[in-house]
Amino acid sequence: MTLAPKELSNLLSIISEEACTNSFESLSTHFHHYFGKAEHFRVGSVLVMLLQQPDLLPSSSQRLIALYLLWEMYRTEPLAANPFAAVFAHLLNPAPAGEEQEKVLSGFLPPITQPEKFFLSQLMLAPPRDLFKKTPRQVSCMDVGNMPQSVDISGLQLALAERQSELPTQSKASFPSILNDPDPDSSNSGFDSSVANQIIESLVTGPRPPLESHFRPEFIRPPPPLHVCEDELAWLNPTEPDHSIQWDRSMCVKNSTGVEIKRIMSKAFKSPLSAQQQSQLLAELEKDPKLVYHIGLSPVKLPDLVENNPLVAIEMLLKLMQSSQITEYFSVLVNMDMSLHSMEVVNRIVWSVWSVSSCSRSSGTRLSMFRTSSSRFRLSASSSAASARPPASSASSRLWTLEKTPLRPNLPNNTRHRCYTGGTEAAAKRGRFALMHTRSVPVHHRRRRLCSSEEIL
Amino acid sequence: MAENTEQNEAKHDGSPSLGMTDQEKEMAASAYEAFTAGRCDEALRHLEALQELTKEDYKIAMNKAVVEFYKSGQTTTGLLKQTLMSMKNQVHTSAEDVDGLDDVENSFLYYNQAIIHYYMRQFSDAICIGEKLYQFLEPFEEKFAQSVCFLLVDLYLLTFQPEKALHLLTVLDKLSVQGSNKNGKGEKDGGNQKAELAAMIEAAKSKIHQYKVRAYIQMKSSKACKREIKSVMNTAGNSAPSLFLKSNFEYLRGNYRKAVKLLNSSNIAEHAGPIKTGECVRCMFWNNLGCIHFAMGKHNLGIFYFKKALQENDHTCAQLGDGSNGQSKKFTGIPMCALLANKRYELLYNCGIQLLHIGRPLAAFECLMEAVQVYHFNPRLWLRLAECCISANKGGSEQESKGLPCKKGIVQSVVGQGYHRKIILASQSMQNTTYSEGQSAAIPVASMEFAAICLRNALLLLPEHQQQELKTENSSKNSSQSGSTESGSENSDACSGKGQDADKFLSAAPSSPLRKQEVENLRCSILACSSYVALALGDNLIALNHAEKLLHQTKLSGSLKFLGHLYAAEALISLDRISDAIAHLNPENVSDVSVGMLMNEQDQGSDKGDEPVESSGKQTPLCYPSSVTSARAMMLFNLGSAYCLRSEYDKARKCLTQAASMMNSKEIPPEAILLGVYLELQNGQ
């Protein structure tokens, strides 16, 4: 937006007092010689600023040049598109009260003389060609008394108003921040072109010249206060960490048993084990309670084991009862396809869990975990809870009550007591018997059992 | 304990062996014996002999690597890491299924890997392995299970997940109870061994207490903390860790003098030094003193201590030779435990925040920029960075308006003399929109553009859910009420109460995680800053958006509410919505100007000690409204400006005089005087 000092001096030479003897046409060619289209707006801004400051552009003919150049720069476009059209409109249409008003508002264009007004209105209309043959000085001395005075600028004003209404209020409220000294020292003699040029230069050139700044009501915008919080800084505590690299103590240990057991286990996933293998496996498990974690029984593999070796599966699950993964095993178990083996395993597990839980309370949580994970079996439990009847006498239903009874701990305390008054021991014995019994039940018997289970589930 | 495990192993030896000869077992046992006795060379010899007999077991190779590591004085961390890594790859290519129990076999390998990750500060990797090990904790023998738990607890605390750590600590409690039970049973083992075992259990207990204190401190639950502190003092006595912990506790309660006393009573001169323990206690000591003085509002002393801590840290690092070496050699040459000794980033973080409070935003920016490279998940740190940018950019004009007579603020310069004298009025709008042209905003310089990026990061790091809830709730109301938000905030206050009980922590490393209420306070501050920065950058819509969000927050402090209204009004004016803006500028909108945190103070105040705690809001910046009247006056000034824009000069003048009468004549901001000048000029004066 700024003019280089060189450009400014060129401009000032065009509008200087001396140049007023040239005709408008020659001024125009001078101007176009110095400035390209790209600089027009910047030059125009400077000219407007000079027009606003009567002390910097004292003579009427200089003002004429400035006005002419403002017009000339954009003469090929329609008048309303001239960015400085507002200046023309304002000058041609002084406020009616303007005559009385002595003081001129700062930043507003001072009123112009009659010849200037005439010249301007000629520019607005199609100007006669010979007008530009004249020199500014000639025009300024013209007698304009008998010339037609007013030009209809309402069209222009309308276009300008439209354009201005698009501007934000804030920018409309601004005015230039260059002020005349309200009470100049009267000692001074008046216009001095060299001083004036110096001032113009300081106003117009350089980075962020005063020309560009404007003055408008400002908002107070206090910056937000620093965020307040406690315990923001990092307090350092010595912790004396003693985590250290450890020697693997499982080196060359228990591989031997591990290998054999693993071999048996991999077989157990595929087919039923022989009696000897089974007993060897169970014996090893009995010896080392933690062995069960090392033999590759993952929840995913559990169904295979259950189908092929339900007894082994039961023992292993009982060993795994303390593991944090037991719920995963349970959920696999209750979600696998229902078969005789799987039901048997569930039966035994639930039974033994309950018998443990009756002596130690903590395992009760395991049971409830199991219950929540097995939605299907919960169903049967709730049905038994709803009926809460004493065990029936028929063989098959006794079997089922036994399957259900372990779930009773979730009943209210008093009902549980009522159910079990007399013969918990006996029921337990019978249950174990029934379980052993099923192993030798003929096929049709088993089928009946399955049917009854479907009825309930 | 060691003998105990061997006994355990001896049990297995009885079983029929296929792949393992007695000779090998004997060798393995003697190698272990030599290793525990610290005779590394002998252990190595045994292992080599063992390797000649059987090559199958990778564990021989691993133990060899372990022995060699110890032989080097634990300085070949990088090498060990590589060896373990290649072993792990071998194991996994042979047994592809990773689904669990097979890994029990390889637990020591994983554990050692986790340890190395821990010391190399790769905490998330270490946690990953640790959690996997924890899944099958039961099969492990007790001591090893305990080590796994302790490692995991430490990792959780280092990564500021105190709840997880506490959960594990209860597991550890159980483990140690089991251990002592067994101890009771195995009385026949002989008194000597029993005493040793008991001592170990005692040590573990004391450690559990210390860990618990750390967890409670992070969770800021001071009652539970008090209880644990007592047990720590009972078990660990006057060791540096326990004294530091207690001092930390007193510091959090606001008993600063007591905290200092406790710190001083710890005998840091006798501490073993960083090479042995991996910790520089002196540096921690200075740092903590800095924290205490910061909290007391003695910022100059605070910065003094932090600088001292930094010096100490640099000294330690130089001693360890850390940092000067290249990346490849970085993990060799110093003992593994000393890898954690460098606390530079924590210290820089503290230093930066201290510098910001002392009014040196540019220096603070430098420090925090370095810290944020490590702690880029901390939203509060991003806010602090933005605050640095803000105060660095407002700095100039603030000085101008404060230090120099008021007239200078209005008249920018006078050009020329005499007849041609021109007065050039200062134009604020030029300074307000500052663009640093020609460079990307992502380059970290203390500019407003960078502040905007920081604030965006901070907002993104905050949990979103609560805001969503508010948004859906407020969207229906928004149409009817844009100006007065009081009713809105009250309503949402009532309904957001239900989400309150889910007390979630938000990580804010390197300091303790943020509680829910703190997160909300932080959100308010971030929104206020965002709005301010957006205004400064000319992003009026974004500014308005942030300001409205701010005004919709439930527990908004009075001062931020005031700022929210001011910012919203200014943004609205720039958007040409003057009447909306005037609604925001109603002086009645300001009822108090306190700076946040009232809720928390009361929460904690119940069990705070006898010494009164200094109010945390006392170091408010100078530009900040010091009273409700000055805040209202500020609003009136802005209201006047808004009237000016509508050419309602009489109303504007009224506002101006009213506001001026409320203020001390020296406090009147330059903007207000400019407004007066504007009015006079409009009048033709």
Side-chain angles (χ1 to χ4, degrees):
Chain A
M1 277 294 280
T2 62
L3 284 182
K6 179 93 176 87
E7 291 173 311
L8 181 69
S9 65
N10 286 337
L11 179 66
L12 289 179
S13 74
I14 296 174
I15 59 169
S16 64
E17 195 70 51
E18 295 78 52
C20 291
T21 48
N22 293 337
S23 73
F24 284 111
E25 268 176 344
S26 69
L27 283 171
S28 157
T29 46
H30 271 294
F31 178 79
H32 287 295
H33 171 70
Y34 287 128
F35 297 104
K37 188 88 188 150
E39 282 109 47
H40 281 181
F41 183 75
R42 291 187 290 154
V43 174
S45 315
V46 175
L47 288 174
V48 173
M49 192 271 285
L50 293 177
L51 283 171
Q52 282 166 342
Q53 307 292 332
D55 59 318
L56 294 179
L57 207 62
S59 83
S60 163
S61 38
Q62 278 179 304
R63 281 200 293 276
L64 280 173
I65 304 176
L67 286 172
Y68 169 71
L69 288 178
L70 282 178
W71 175 81
E72 159 71 21
M73 284 189 291
Y74 295 91
R75 71 185 296 179
T76 50
E77 293 160 43
L79 192 60
N82 187 330
F84 304 103
V87 176
F88 305 147
H90 183 85
L91 289 176
L92 286 178
N93 188 30
E99 309 293 325
E100 292 93 11
Q101 205 171 353
E102 276 299 293
K103 278 210 164 163
V104 194
L105 287 186
S106 160
F108 285 77
L109 294 161
I112 51 176
T113 59
Q114 286 299 321
E116 289 169 56
K117 217 176 245 181
F118 167 74
F119 177 73
L120 196 54
S121 50
Q122 288 294 306
L123 288 179
M124 304 271 100
L125 307 165
R129 196 150 274 258
D130 59 332
L131 184 64
F132 301 138
K133 297 262 184 344
K134 296 183 176 167
T135 64
R137 191 153 292 165
Q138 283 170 319
V139 174
S140 67
C141 304
M142 226 164 18
D143 179 23
V144 290
N146 51 357
M147 303 274 183
Q149 267 292 307
S150 57
V151 183
D152 182 29
I153 53 164
S154 57
L156 178 65
Q157 278 173 326
L158 200 67
L160 287 174
E162 207 171 293
R163 205 169 64 192
Q164 278 187 347
S165 69
E166 288 164 13
L167 293 175
T169 333
Q170 229 179 351
S171 35
K172 280 186 277 187
S174 309
F175 46 79
S177 53
I178 302 170
L179 279 188
N180 278 321
D181 195 337
D183 60 330
D185 300 341
S186 44
S187 64
N188 209 293
S189 53
F191 184 75
D192 178 345
S193 75
S194 66
V195 174
N197 284 359
Q198 242 175 31
I199 289 172
I200 292 170
E201 190 174 325
S202 67
L203 290 181
V204 168
T205 58
R208 297 203 166 175
L211 167 68
E212 273 177 32
S213 66
H214 45 84
F215 181 55
R216 66 178 180 205
E218 295 294 343
F219 273 78
I220 305 170
R221 188 197 301 157
L226 292 180
H227 175 66
V228 175
C229 57
E230 51 186 20
D231 189 24
E232 182 175 14
L233 298 183
W235 178 282
L236 298 176
N237 277 319
T239 54
E240 305 186 341
D242 56 354
H243 316 293
S244 55
I245 296 284
Q246 292 203 7
W247 171 282
D248 191 345
R249 287 187 290 274
S250 65
M251 174 183 75
C252 296
V253 187
K254 63 187 161 184
N255 286 17
S256 47
T257 46
V259 168
E260 177 62 15
I261 293 296
K262 264 188 186 166
R263 203 177 53 78
I264 298 178
M265 273 307 283
S266 62
K267 210 184 151 207
F269 291 129
K270 287 171 199 137
S271 61
L273 296 175
S274 70
Q276 192 224 333
Q277 284 172 323
Q278 192 168 315
S279 60
Q280 189 193 342
L281 186 61
L282 294 182
E284 286 298 337
L285 280 178
E286 205 54 47
K287 247 192 233 166
D288 180 4
K290 291 198 169 181
L291 183 64
V292 68
Y293 297 102
H294 297 270
I295 52 178
L297 174 64
S298 60
V300 192
K301 288 178 177 170
L302 185 64
D304 291 332
L305 189 66
V306 167
E307 282 308 315
N308 290 306
N309 293 286
L311 259 188
V312 176
I314 290 166
E315 284 306 318
M316 295 212 157
L317 283 175
L318 290 179
K319 287 270 185 303
L320 283 169
M321 211 54 92
Q322 297 303 318
S323 155
S324 59
Q325 281 186 310
I326 190 68
T327 42
E328 278 169 54
Y329 286 105
F330 280 159
S331 71
V332 168
L333 187 60
V334 296
N335 286 318
M336 65 183 279
D337 291 334
M338 197 180 302
S339 70
L340 204 55
H341 282 166
S342 71
M343 289 201 306
E344 192 177 314
V345 170
V346 169
N347 183 17
R348 262 293 295 279
I349 295 292
V350 170
W351 170 243
S352 56
V353 167
W354 177 77
S355 59
V356 172
S357 78
S358 63
C359 48
S360 87
R361 210 105 300 249
S362 66
S363 315
T365 53
R366 289 272 186 225
L367 183 66
S368 63
M369 253 155 62
F370 180 38
R371 288 195 62 237
T372 47
S373 68
S374 65
S375 55
R376 281 199 279 170
F377 285 88
R378 189 170 40 193
L379 236 177
S380 76
S382 63
S383 76
S384 85
S387 58
R389 54 176 185 228
S393 58
S394 93
S396 70
S397 69
R398 188 187 307 142
L399 206 71
W400 273 102
T401 36
L402 275 176
E403 283 179 13
K404 283 174 260 162
T405 40
L407 298 166
R408 288 265 167 92
N410 291 300
L411 294 176
N413 267 341
N414 49 358
T415 37
R416 187 172 8 139
H417 275 291
R418 225 182 312 133
C419 286
Y420 282 90
T421 36
T424 317
E425 281 294 323
K429 266 183 197 153
R430 258 177 294 162
R432 204 153 284 160
F433 168 75
L435 196 77
M436 278 153 68
H437 186 63
T438 46
R439 203 140 309 168
S440 55
V441 202
V443 181
H444 69 269
H445 215 113
R446 290 191 185 189
R447 192 151 297 150
R448 193 153 46 111
R449 221 189 117 198
L450 268 180
C451 294
S452 71
S453 77
E454 270 154 19
E455 275 168 35
I456 290 179
L457 292 176
Chain B
M1 203 63 188
E3 278 90 334
N4 199 24
T5 59
E6 276 192 3
Q7 262 198 349
N8 218 6
E9 285 150 13
K11 261 196 277 178
H12 304 300
D13 294 351
S15 57
S17 58
L18 286 169
M20 207 55 63
T21 63
D22 283 341
Q23 191 196 358
E24 284 166 11
K25 255 177 258 166
E26 222 166 82
M27 271 180 166
S30 49
Y32 179 55
E33 209 172 287
F35 172 71
T36 43
R39 300 190 300 269
C40 289
D41 289 321
E42 193 185 326
L44 270 181
R45 267 201 307 282
H46 283 300
L47 285 172
E48 267 156 25
L50 204 53
Q51 239 172 351
E52 273 169 26
L53 286 172
T54 139
K55 287 215 156 58
E56 287 154 35
D57 201 351
Y58 80 91
K59 288 176 184 173
I60 301 174
M62 182 172 87
N63 278 342
K64 224 174 122 185
V66 170
V67 175
E68 269 162 1
F69 174 68
Y70 276 104
K71 200 180 154 194
S72 73
Q74 306 196 29
T75 53
T76 53
T77 317
L79 190 71
L80 183 64
K81 188 187 178 188
Q82 279 171 7
T83 320
L84 293 182
M85 201 61 197
S86 65
M87 274 174 195
K88 191 195 157 200
N89 290 339
Q90 271 176 24
V91 171
H92 267 282
T93 45
S94 58
E96 200 37 65
D97 65 331
V98 202
D99 58 1
L101 293 167
D102 273 350
D103 279 339
V104 175
E105 292 280 293
N106 308 321
S107 53
F108 279 94
L109 172 60
Y110 288 125
Y111 177 77
N112 284 343
Q113 273 194 317
I115 291 282
I116 289 178
H117 282 307
Y118 167 85
Y119 282 107
M120 288 184 164
R121 293 177 199 248
Q122 293 156 341
F123 296 136
S124 54
D125 290 341
I127 285 180
C128 196
I129 297 175
E131 279 176 347
K132 206 165 141 198
L133 281 173
Y134 177 69
Q135 273 179 5
F136 24 83
L137 197 64
E138 290 86 3
F140 299 152
E141 41 124 347
E142 263 157 54
K143 196 189 165 199
F144 183 61
Q146 227 175 34
S147 318
V148 171
C149 285
F150 272 128
L151 175 65
L152 208 48
V153 167
D154 210 353
L155 283 165
Y156 282 142
L157 288 176
L158 280 171
T159 50
F160 298 97
Q161 307 179 61
E163 282 161 320
K164 282 186 178 175
L166 269 184
H167 170 75
L168 255 181
L169 283 167
T170 54
V171 172
L172 265 172
D173 263 343
K174 259 187 220 157
L175 271 177
S176 72
V177 167
Q178 276 173 19
S180 55
N181 280 351
K182 253 186 208 157
N183 186 30
K185 265 187 269 169
E187 241 163 299
K188 57 184 184 248
D189 287 355
N192 190 16
Q193 193 181 338
K194 204 184 119 193
E196 203 177 297
L197 260 175
M200 269 193 53
I201 289 166
E202 262 326 291
K205 262 188 191 159
S206 145
K207 237 162 91 177
I208 291 175
H209 286 310
Q210 282 187 27
Y211 278 124
K212 274 190 181 162
V213 171
R214 279 169 70 193
Y216 285 131
I217 282 178
Q218 285 187 9
M219 290 169 75
K220 293 166 196 159
S221 49
S222 87
K223 264 188 194 146
C225 199
K226 198 171 186 176
R227 210 176 44 232
E228 287 301 326
I229 286 269
K230 257 184 201 153
S231 0
V232 166
M233 295 319 274
N234 285 338
T235 52
N238 290 336
S239 67
S242 55
L243 285 170
F244 270 59
L245 276 177
K246 188 160 189 204
S247 173
N248 190 357
F249 172 66
E250 295 297 345
Y251 156 73
L252 288 179
R253 295 210 306 171
N255 299 334
Y256 301 125
R257 243 175 278 160
K258 203 165 173 188
V260 173
K261 216 180 269 173
L262 279 165
L263 275 186
N264 279 326
S265 68
S266 69
N267 199 347
I268 56 164
E270 275 177 20
H271 198 263
I275 293 186
K276 271 207 177 143
T277 59
E279 283 169 332
C280 179
V281 180
R282 285 157 167 279
C283 154
M284 290 175 173
F285 174 78
W286 294 124
N287 173 67
N288 295 347
L289 271 185
C291 291
I292 294 171
H293 284 95
F294 173 82
M296 288 161 81
K298 296 181 178 170
H299 295 315
N300 283 311
L301 268 176
I303 197 73
F304 170 76
Y305 287 125
F306 284 132
K307 279 197 172 142
K308 233 171 161 174
L310 263 175
Q311 274 169 11
E312 197 67 52
N313 190 57
D314 287 345
H315 178 70
T316 308
C317 289
Q319 218 179 344
L320 294 171
D322 186 29
S324 55
N325 298 348
Q327 188 66 34
S328 57
K329 281 198 163 185
K330 202 169 176 191
F331 298 120
T332 53
I334 42 170
M336 182 172 69
C337 65
L339 291 175
L340 286 176
N342 191 350
K343 300 283 180 208
R344 179 171 176 78
Y345 292 101
E346 286 91 338
L347 294 175
L348 280 174
Y349 170 86
N350 285 349
C351 230
I353 286 165
Q354 176 65 87
L355 282 167
L356 175 64
H357 279 88
I358 222 172
R360 291 168 59 192
L362 286 174
F365 184 80
E366 296 291 312
C367 288
L368 293 182
M369 264 325 286
E370 213 170 317
V372 86
Q373 288 165 17
V374 177
Y375 306 113
H376 50 273
F377 282 117
N378 182 350
R380 193 166 52 189
L381 179 51
W382 285 110
L383 171 66
R384 290 300 186 199
L385 271 171
E387 284 179 345
C388 286
C389 299
I390 289 174
S391 67
N393 281 297
K394 74 159 191 216
S397 68
E398 190 192 18
Q399 265 178 0
E400 196 178 279
S401 63
K402 247 190 295 169
L404 303 167
C406 278
K407 202 182 167 197
K408 203 72 176 187
I410 304 157
V411 178
Q412 187 174 316
S413 59
V414 179
V415 176
Q417 287 166 337
Y419 180 60
H420 291 302
R421 202 156 82 129
K422 299 288 170 202
I423 296 166
I424 296 157
L425 294 172
S427 161
Q428 214 87 79
S429 45
M430 288 303 270
Q431 300 157 5
N432 278 353
T433 47
T434 44
Y435 297 100
S436 34
E437 283 155 49
Q439 52 176 231
S440 161
I443 292 170
V445 281
S447 66
M448 286 306 224
E449 286 88 345
F450 191 72
I453 291 177
C454 292
L455 291 168
R456 222 170 302 149
N457 284 345
L459 265 187
L460 283 174
L461 285 169
L462 289 184
E464 193 61 36
H465 62 98
Q466 213 240 338
Q467 212 161 352
Q468 220 96 53
E469 196 179 285
L470 277 177
K471 231 183 248 169
T472 51
E473 198 226 358
N474 280 324
S475 55
S476 53
K477 243 177 274 167
N478 255 353
S479 51
S480 59
Q481 51 118 36
S482 61
S484 73
T485 47
E486 250 128 320
S487 61
S489 57
E490 265 166 26
N491 279 354
S492 44
D493 199 23
C495 92
S496 73
K498 60 180 182 265
Q500 210 78 7
D501 38 47
D503 210 17
K504 196 85 176 70
F505 287 92
L506 179 73
S507 169
S511 40
S512 299
L514 304 173
R515 283 172 303 179
K516 176 133 194 231
Q517 186 49 46
E518 291 172 305
V519 170
E520 294 314 316
N521 286 339
L522 183 61
R523 193 196 305 283
C524 292
S525 290
I526 294 173
L527 284 172
C529 282
S530 299
S531 188
Y532 177 82
V533 168
L535 279 179
L537 291 175
D539 290 338
N540 295 313
L541 258 183
I542 293 171
L544 178 63
N545 195 354
H546 284 308
E548 281 182 344
K549 254 192 216 164
L550 175 66
L551 291 172
H552 284 150
Q553 294 298 314
T554 48
K555 276 166 192 145
L556 187 56
S557 72
S559 64
L560 289 184
K561 194 167 149 198
F562 158 71
L563 290 176
H565 282 300
L566 274 194
Y567 297 159
E570 189 174 348
L572 281 168
I573 286 198
S574 299
L575 293 168
D576 241 7
R577 289 160 60 185
I578 293 172
S579 29
D580 288 345
I582 286 174
H584 271 292
L585 289 173
N586 182 359
E588 301 303 313
N589 281 345
V590 198
S591 47
D592 85 306
V593 286
S594 58
V595 193
M597 298 257 302
L598 291 170
M599 287 282 307
N600 276 341
E601 304 269 15
Q602 275 159 16
D603 276 357
Q604 298 228 319
S606 57
D607 55 2
K608 258 178 192 165
D610 34 3
E611 278 173 72
V613 188
E614 284 99 319
S615 79
S616 45
K618 81 180 173 144
Q619 63 263 24
T620 40
L622 284 160
C623 286
Y624 196 68
S626 48
S627 65
V628 178
T629 32
S630 67
R632 285 195 175 160
M634 230 178 253
M635 275 214 157
L636 278 173
F637 283 133
N638 279 1
L639 189 59
S641 298
Y643 281 133
C644 271
L645 293 181
R646 288 213 298 206
S647 308
E648 292 169 317
Y649 300 120
D650 288 339
K651 277 189 186 174
R653 194 162 293 118
K654 231 169 83 189
C655 286
L656 191 59
T657 46
Q658 194 188 339
S661 68
M662 285 161 79
M663 267 184 158
N664 190 336
S665 64
K666 275 183 187 162
E667 283 175 357
I668 293 177
E671 286 93 340
I673 297 168
L674 279 176
L675 179 63
V677 172
Y678 181 89
L679 282 171
E680 291 308 311
L681 287 173
Q682 280 291 3
N683 220 11
Q685 306 289 305

